[in-house]
Amino acid sequence: MAARRSSRFLKPLAYVAGAGLAGSAALYTVIRPRDIPGTEAAAVPPPTYGEGGVFHPPKFPNVPSRDEQIAKLKASGGVVAQVAEKAKHLLTGSVTTPEQKPEQEEYDLLVIGGGATGAGIALDAVTRGLKVAMVERDDFSSGTSSKSTKLVHGGVRYLEKAVWNLDYNQYSLVVEALRERRYFLDTAPHLSQWLPIMIPLQKWWQAPYFWAGTKFYDFLAGSENIESSYYMTKSKALDAFPMLKKEGLFGALVYYDGAHNDSRMNVSLAMTAALYGATVVSHVEVTGLTKDANGKLNGAIAKDRVEELNGKKAEQFNIRAKGVINATGPFTDSIRKMDDQKVPEIVAPSSGVHVILPGYFSPANMGLIDPNTSDGRVIFFLPWQGNTIAGTTDTACDVKQDPVAGEDEIEWILKEVKRYLQPEINVRRGDVLAAWSGIRPLVRDPTKDKSEGLVRNHLVTMSESGLLTCSGGKWTTYRQMAEETVDEAIKEYNLEPRALTDAPLVSGTQVKDEAPLDGTCQTHRVRLVGAHGFSKTLFINLVQHYGIETEVAKYLCQAYGDRAWTVAALCAPTETRFPVRGKKISELYPYVDGEVRYAVRHEYAQTATDVIARRMRLAFLNAQASLEALPKVIDIMAEELKWDGARKDLEFKNGVQYLGSMGLPKNKLSLTRKEVESGKVGKYADEEYHMYARHGESPSPDPQHCADLFEMGIALNRGYADKPEELLQSDSKYAQGHNPVVGRDSPANK
């Protein structure tokens, strides 16, 4: 009897205790301390003043010059030996066959393609002790890798498809991407950060549906997750995202993913590989593949396209390697057909269009995803580099070097954006600052029937002659793709990885990476250039030492990490009280002259487009501002690279042509450099000019008195200007029409 009575009390107590433990565990999981990438102190503290007040700037290692890198490529093909033998033949009449080049000059791997995949493969291989060369026909990240949605994500929509379609491959892709997402943020905290993304809810039942989905997303990330998803009431959602349409809004769910600066990440991968010893060269085009007597690949034929830009003939040269890797994204099939003309094409190119809108269309620290567009596609609306990026589409396309965003696709994106913004917020076509199309290299498995459709993940294949191809995939999983490709290369080409005993001090100090470079893959721990000395307060040290603007200092630290010290040092003095250094390339954005010099000296930039598009991101943020900045960039590069007048003219022509693919209005494509420098970019009679009240006059324009298109534009602008009814009178002591900016001759600058 007593036992029964005790059990009646003990069981409820046990239940209560169990529930309490479960609740405590759940509470701890939610509020436990988080190790958030980028918030910890820098691995390398900022430089300080030593004895006697002497400042000791960081001494970072430099990558080899481009000429040195090309010389290494040519040496692998025995160019030096061949030249010496020809000279001997001319002098002595000898006709002996040139000896084979020394074995140690042959590369273990030649990687064709300098996008995210190619650069990732080069870094993985060189940190395993292999001798690696990577060549890129254009610039690093010149294709798909610079035209992404700028997200580092597992893919909430992929997870939804995996659950409803019971698709294990989709599920595996999400799990892999979530793991890689954390590695991404750890190895380059200056270039990537966490971003909360809102899912607006229109129906009550969507709350439990998306709550379960986002919590499952958190669960799959496991210990690699940072912040947990959460529900927001309607009022909280509108407070966080004031532009959101109120009507029909029930609430919102917020989950976390990563965002990054894609092309700068790509360039950093390439530069880190170069510091570890890889031969990394852009603007070198592979024109053919070479094979030995057994029909196996043993290298490639290439040419330096920079010679052609300088008006010279580009001579072809051989690059010898034990293995050749094809990592050319949308152009994968062109390299595969160099190997074998009969191979079936495996790339199914798909165009993804993005548009850039002014930053006032979205909060600075909150993104938005619309999973229910009018035609079932998903659209992202994200803050990026001070502006707002919206996209993307998914339509079949042809493979081109610089595809142009279609007007229909741009209008579709704008229409979808309007659906979830307040009706009084008018999203106009003229608000589009830039628009571009990136080609997704979706692939089919060549070993399977075409009816099986496209591969959702990446694909690593080997041809009979030994061409190793890595295709498909996405930015977030670039590191995993590289690891699998190098693993396959080591096996197929019988390569021998080795420990790096003389690894460079990438940090510029005696502080080394945690990664033990023992011949195994360690890229999940190898920090990229700029990561070692980065912290979120580094910009303060930069402002205090170099006297650059706070906005500029913050940007430089986020784009270059600890290399911002070098960029700031390369900035020219402004000859004003403040800022002391850093002449802006564009008054609208924090890009400065030191970046152009740094890009040329330390990042292999060879054209003006390399700088405005991939080193600084101006072309992706504002096409017209890029056109205005183009002459300044060309002049600085001309000083660094000793360009003549013909090369400068060619750079301007090519730059304008490229900006045409980034959304530059057609009536700007015919502008000359002189017209751009005289300010005519913003004075043409176009849609954007009429969008604002410009305080103009109101007489009717007389076309007969307009000497040219420019004068016609000015007349039209005067005729249609929206002059405010009431103007503010200035309290300034300056006379009307005087520019109240401290001048060069002001006593304040003496």
Side-chain angles (χ1 to χ4, degrees), residues 2 8 33 167 182 204 248 265 324 335 352 574 596 624 698:
R8 288 168 58 189
D167 189 335
R182 180 56 189 257
W204 69 266
M265 180 73 179
V324 180
I335 301 297
T574 63
V596 184
Q624 296 196 52
S698 301

Side-chain angles (χ1 to χ4, degrees), residues 161-177:
K161 291 179 180 178
V163 172
W164 285 110
N165 299 332
L166 298 178
D167 189 335
Y168 182 76
N169 290 330
Q170 288 270 22
Y171 170 81
S172 299
L173 175 62
V174 174
V175 174
E176 176 186 288

Side-chain angles (χ1 to χ4, degrees), residues 369-401:
I369 178 175
D370 181 6
N372 299 308
T373 61
S374 58
D375 62 357
R377 287 183 282 189
V378 174
I379 192 168
F380 287 96
F381 197 61
L382 311 167
W384 185 67
Q385 301 288 305
N387 282 359
T388 301
I389 183 171
T392 176
T393 61
D394 186 7
T395 53
C397 66
D398 296 326
V399 177
K400 298 179 181 178
Q401 183 65 27

Side-chain angles (χ1 to χ4, degrees), residues 366-596:
M366 177 74 76
L368 185 144
I369 178 175
D370 181 6
N372 299 308
T373 61
S374 58
D375 62 357
R377 287 183 282 189
V378 174
I379 192 168
F380 287 96
F381 197 61
L382 311 167
W384 185 67
Q385 301 288 305
N387 282 359
T388 301
I389 183 171
T392 176
T393 61
D394 186 7
T395 53
C397 66
D398 296 326
V399 177
K400 298 179 181 178
Q401 183 65 27
D402 294 313
V404 178
E407 194 62 36
D408 291 343
E409 295 166 300
I410 294 174
E411 291 294 344
W412 178 84
I413 292 174
L414 296 181
K415 182 185 72 173
E416 294 302 324
V417 167
K418 293 175 185 178
R419 288 180 62 240
Y420 52 79
L421 295 183
Q422 293 188 27
E424 59 266 28
I425 298 178
N426 186 21
V427 184
R428 305 164 294 185
R429 176 62 179 86
D431 287 319
V432 176
L433 303 177
W436 70 85
S437 170
I439 301 178
R440 299 186 190 92
L442 304 177
V443 293
R444 291 186 177 89
D445 189 337
T447 64
K448 297 182 180 180
D449 190 85
K450 286 186 177 182
S451 63
E452 295 190 36
L454 301 176
V455 175
R456 298 297 180 184
N457 208 330
H458 58 274
L459 193 65
V460 179
T461 58
M462 176 69 80
S463 74
E464 292 183 2
S465 62
L467 177 65
L468 185 60
T469 297
C470 180
S471 53
K474 61 179 185 176
W475 238 120
T476 307
T477 58
Y478 86 90
R479 196 209 63 83
Q480 179 68 27
M481 295 165 62
E483 180 179 352
E484 292 181 14
T485 303
V486 175
D487 287 343
E488 187 71 13
I490 291 172
K491 182 180 71 174
E492 293 290 339
Y493 301 133
N494 297 317
L495 304 178
E496 297 181 2
R498 69 180 192 279
L500 286 184
T501 56
D502 56 345
L505 296 172
V506 179
S507 68
T509 68
Q510 293 303 311
V511 176
K512 298 182 179 180
D513 269 322
E514 300 172 354
L517 301 179
D518 55 3
T520 63
C521 178
Q522 294 292 326
T523 48
H524 60 293
R525 301 169 69 180
V526 173
R527 296 188 183 191
L528 302 188
V529 166
H532 298 80
F534 170 75
S535 72
K536 293 200 171 181
T537 58
L538 177 62
F539 74 94
I540 298 174
N541 304 95
L542 218 58
V543 173
Q544 291 177 333
H545 183 69
Y546 285 112
I548 59 179
E549 288 184 39
T550 302
E551 179 192 19
V552 172
K554 287 182 176 180
Y555 155 71
L556 291 181
C557 291
Q558 291 172 352
Y560 300 89
D562 57 24
R563 264 48 175 190
W565 288 104
T566 305
V567 178
L570 291 173
C571 289
T574 63
E575 306 299 337
T576 60
R577 187 180 67 82
F578 195 86
V580 178
R581 284 179 178 270
K583 295 180 180 179
K584 285 191 173 182
I585 297 298
S586 170
E587 292 302 319
L588 300 175
Y589 298 93
Y591 304 126
V592 288
D593 58 324
E595 293 183 78
V596 184

Side-chain angles (χ1 to χ4, degrees), residues 202-261:
Q202 278 77 38
K203 306 292 183 181
W204 69 266
W205 58 264
Q206 290 179 322
Y209 177 79
F210 284 110
W211 182 88
T214 54
K215 287 301 178 184
F216 189 30
Y217 194 64
D218 295 341
F219 173 76
L220 291 179
S223 61
E224 308 298 343
N225 198 34
I226 299 298
E227 296 287 352
S228 297
S229 56
Y230 58 92
Y231 172 77
M232 297 179 78
T233 62
K234 178 179 179 179
S235 59
K236 289 289 185 181
L238 292 172
D239 183 55
F241 208 117
M243 308 84 178
L244 208 57
K245 184 163 63 176
K246 301 175 184 178
E247 292 74 15
L249 183 67
F250 178 79
L253 268 159
V254 177
Y255 71 97
Y256 285 80
D257 256 328
H260 75 133
N261 189 336

